[in-house]
């Protein structure tokens, strides 16, 4: 039985269409790249010339590291990326959005990093969104940078109509920082955006540095405010007010209780939502916690800090500063401690003196002094020498007296003989 003519014609048409689709298409044309704002890179291209009329063109595009691979019919692609390194995009055309489709030859277009010595660029550039009110960016000078370099910070986000310059630049030792207003306002999706940052010098001698700050990942709340402390049923009740601009389910808490008697501190973490509005229509939320195992006779000092949690933000490690401490309980008698500080050194000094005297006496008893032989001989022979000298002196005097007597007798005899 012969097939109908129209069926054969349809079959031939399908075969031709399939062959056309299976063939690779010509490459895209006029691929170009441009930069908008500070870190928004945009690639655009034209459809390929000579493409099959039966082809529904789509475009395969990915970056040089084959990340963020995408197949879409748009002839445009953009990305927010820091411009500190070379960035390339490769584009090819194909007839469908099927991954197994045979694409055309890839066409590549790159954007070069900024000019300048890489060693002159600032280092450790980072930004923190403080209490959803303002952002502070800090950095360190590059290695090949003059100490008197004047830096300028520029920033942009989607709520701004143009790029703005940060005016409040301060130096704190080697660190340099700049703060600018950044409020959430009434836009519920604002904190899902990013802020583009660029830091360079006024003279153009250093290489510019770029950073993109995702707002949900760099949030630091202000410290909470402790409102009251009181004891009840062997528990310490702590009550505080959350920082403004935050809802309680988005915060985690850490309460530190210092015991003055034992000179120790205990830390309590609170992930539960034990908060309520302090007043009708007020944006300030009041929270509380019960600390078990306390005694009213002890003096306690309490302080609190908070951080964002995983339910609302990406960064869960950036704690606020500690709140101002508040104390409760019986304060220890300072007079007693001062007296003890004065008495204890006196007692210790007296004990040391008595101990030294006792040790000296004990040394004499245990180790008696050894007699000096030279002193013994001196005592023995020293008296005899004195007696010998005495006798010698006596003999000389006696001899002299005898001679004088003999002389007188001789003179008297001569007088008698002479007529």
């Amino acid at each position: 039985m012969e097939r109908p003519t129209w069926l054969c014609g349809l079959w031939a048409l399908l075969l031709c269409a399939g062959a056309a689709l299976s063939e690779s298409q010509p490459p895209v044309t006029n691929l170009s790249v441009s930069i908008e704002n500070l870190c928004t890179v945009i690639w655009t291209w034209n459809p390929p010339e000579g493409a099959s009329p039966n082809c529904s063109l789509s475009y395969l595009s990915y970056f040089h590291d084959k990340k963020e691979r995408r197949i879409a019919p748009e002839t445009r692609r953009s990305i927010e990326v820091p411009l500190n390194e070379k960035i390339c995009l490769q584009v090819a055309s194909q007839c469908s959005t099927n991954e197994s489709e045979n694409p055309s030859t890839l066409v590549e277009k790159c954007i070069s990093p900024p000019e300048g010595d890489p060693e002159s660029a600032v280092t450790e550039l980072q930004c923190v969104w403080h209490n959803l009110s303002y952002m502070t960016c800090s950095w360190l000078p590059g290695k090949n940078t003059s100490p008197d370099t004047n830096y300028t910070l520029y920033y942009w986000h989607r709520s701004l109509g143009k790029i703005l310059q940060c005016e409040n630049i301060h130096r704190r030792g080697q660190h340099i920082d700049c703060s600018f207003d950044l409020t959430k306002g009434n836009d519920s999706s604002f904190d899902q955006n990013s802020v583009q940052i660029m830091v360079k010098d006024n003279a153009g001698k250093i290489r510019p540095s770029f950073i993109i700050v995702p707002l949900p990942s760099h949030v630091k709340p202000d410290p909470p405010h402790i409102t009251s402390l009181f004891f009840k049923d062997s528990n310490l009740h702590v009550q505080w007010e959350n920082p403004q601009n935050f809802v309680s389910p988005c915060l985690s808490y850490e309460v530190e209780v210092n015991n003055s008697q034992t000179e120790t501190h205990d830390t309590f973490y609170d992930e539960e939502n034990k908060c309520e509005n302090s007043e009708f229509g007020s944006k300030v939320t009041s929270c509380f916690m019960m600390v078990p195992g306390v005694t009213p006779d002890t003096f306690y000092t309490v302080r609190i800090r908070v951080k964002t949690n995983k339910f609302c933000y990406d960064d869960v490690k950036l704690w606020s500063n500690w709140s101002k401490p508040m104390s409760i309980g019986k304060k220890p008698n300072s007079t007693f401690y001062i007296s003890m500080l004065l008495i204890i050194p006196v007692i210790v000094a007296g004990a040391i003196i008595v101990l030294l005297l006792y040790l000296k006496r004990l040394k004499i008893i245990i180790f008696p002094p050894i007699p000096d032989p030279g002193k013994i001989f001196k005592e023995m022979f020293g008296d005899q020498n004195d007696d010998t000298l005495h006798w010698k002196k006596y003999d000389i005097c006696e001899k002299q007296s005898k001679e004088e007597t003999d002389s007188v007798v001789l003179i008297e005899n001569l007088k008698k003989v002479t007529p």
Side-chain angles (χ1 to χ4, degrees), residues 82-351:
L83 304 180
N84 300 314
E85 298 179 355
K86 183 179 179 180
I87 306 167
C88 297
L89 181 73
Q90 294 179 336
V91 183
S93 63
Q94 60 184 46
C95 283
S96 69
T97 58
N98 191 351
E99 289 285 346
S100 61
E101 182 70 25
N102 186 20
S104 69
T105 305
L106 289 169
V107 179
E108 185 181 65
K109 190 69 174 182
C110 301
I111 183 169
S112 301
E115 297 181 355
D117 182 7
E119 296 292 331
S120 67
V122 301
T123 60
E124 299 185 20
L125 176 59
Q126 55 186 352
C127 301
V128 177
W129 193 13
H130 290 271
N131 208 54
L132 307 182
S133 298
Y134 66 95
M135 179 169 284
T136 299
C137 299
S138 62
W139 62 89
L140 289 173
K143 294 182 180 179
N144 299 337
T145 308
S146 175
D148 58 349
T149 300
N150 294 320
Y151 295 94
T152 304
L153 184 145
Y154 297 93
Y155 64 96
W156 179 89
H157 54 84
R158 291 183 181 178
S159 299
L160 297 177
K162 60 179 180 179
I163 299 173
L164 298 181
Q165 178 180 343
C166 182
E167 303 292 345
N168 302 317
I169 293 183
H170 302 281
R171 290 181 178 266
R172 293 175 175 84
Q174 291 187 346
H175 283 84
I176 306 170
D177 62 71
C178 190
S179 301
F180 54 90
D181 293 335
L182 186 64
T183 56
K184 182 176 180 179
N186 297 325
D187 186 0
S188 59
S189 63
F190 178 80
D191 52 3
Q192 301 302 319
N193 298 328
S194 300
V195 180
Q196 301 178 8
I197 303 292
M198 179 182 69
V199 177
K200 65 176 187 176
D201 65 330
N202 297 333
K205 296 181 179 180
I206 70 170
R207 180 175 177 173
S209 296
F210 299 86
I211 185 176
I212 296 177
V213 185
L215 294 181
S217 63
H218 295 77
V219 180
K220 181 178 180 180
D222 282 349
H225 172 65
I226 303 177
T227 56
S228 65
L229 300 174
F230 61 91
F231 295 106
K232 184 179 180 181
D233 300 332
S234 299
N235 295 323
L236 174 60
H237 291 247
V238 183
Q239 189 171 359
W240 67 90
E241 291 181 351
N242 278 338
Q244 293 184 354
N245 303 328
F246 289 93
V247 292
S248 55
C250 294
L251 295 176
S252 299
Y253 309 93
E254 181 180 357
V255 179
E256 183 185 81
V257 181
N258 292 277
N259 188 330
S260 62
Q261 184 175 355
T262 59
E263 295 184 355
T264 58
H265 69 271
D266 298 318
T267 303
F268 303 88
Y269 297 94
D270 186 12
E271 298 286 346
E272 299 180 1
N273 182 14
K274 298 180 180 179
C275 304
E276 58 184 7
N277 291 334
S278 57
E279 296 179 2
F280 180 77
S282 175
K283 295 183 179 180
V284 179
T285 306
S286 179
C287 304
F288 68 93
M289 174 189 287
M290 289 189 302
V291 179
V294 297
T295 56
D297 296 334
T298 305
F299 187 74
Y300 296 97
T301 301
V302 180
R303 59 179 187 170
I304 308 172
R305 64 178 181 175
V306 299
K307 67 175 181 178
T308 55
N309 59 30
K310 60 184 178 181
F311 298 108
C312 302
Y313 299 93
D314 298 334
D315 191 350
V316 296
K317 297 181 180 180
L318 195 56
W319 286 97
S320 71
N321 297 331
W322 286 103
S323 66
K324 291 183 179 179
M326 180 177 285
S327 302
I328 190 175
K330 292 184 178 180
K331 194 172 184 179
N333 190 358
S334 60
T335 305
F336 172 77
Y337 290 103
I338 294 175
S339 301
M340 292 300 296
L341 290 175
L342 295 176
I343 293 174
I344 289 176
V346 175
I347 295 175
V348 173

Side-chain angles (χ1 to χ4, degrees), residues 358-372:
Y358 176 76
L359 290 176
K360 185 175 182 181
R361 179 64 180 173
L362 187 63
K363 181 179 178 181
I364 294 174
I365 295 173
I366 297 175
F367 304 104
I370 300 174
D372 186 5

Side-chain angles (χ1 to χ4, degrees), residues 1-62:
M1 182 177 179
E2 297 182 358
R3 295 179 181 178
T5 307
W6 64 270
L7 183 60
C8 294
L10 179 61
W11 181 256
L13 182 62
L14 291 175
L15 289 176
C16 293
L21 292 175
S22 62
E23 294 179 358
S24 61
Q25 299 299 314
V28 300
T29 59
N30 298 329
L31 177 61
S32 61
V33 62
S34 60
I35 300 174
E36 290 186 0
N37 309 317
L38 292 174
C39 300
T40 304
V41 186
I42 301 175
W43 285 270
T44 58
W45 58 89
N46 293 332
E49 296 179 355
S52 173
N54 298 323
C55 176
S56 178
L57 285 173
S58 294
Y59 303 96
L60 167 68
S61 62
Y62 55 82

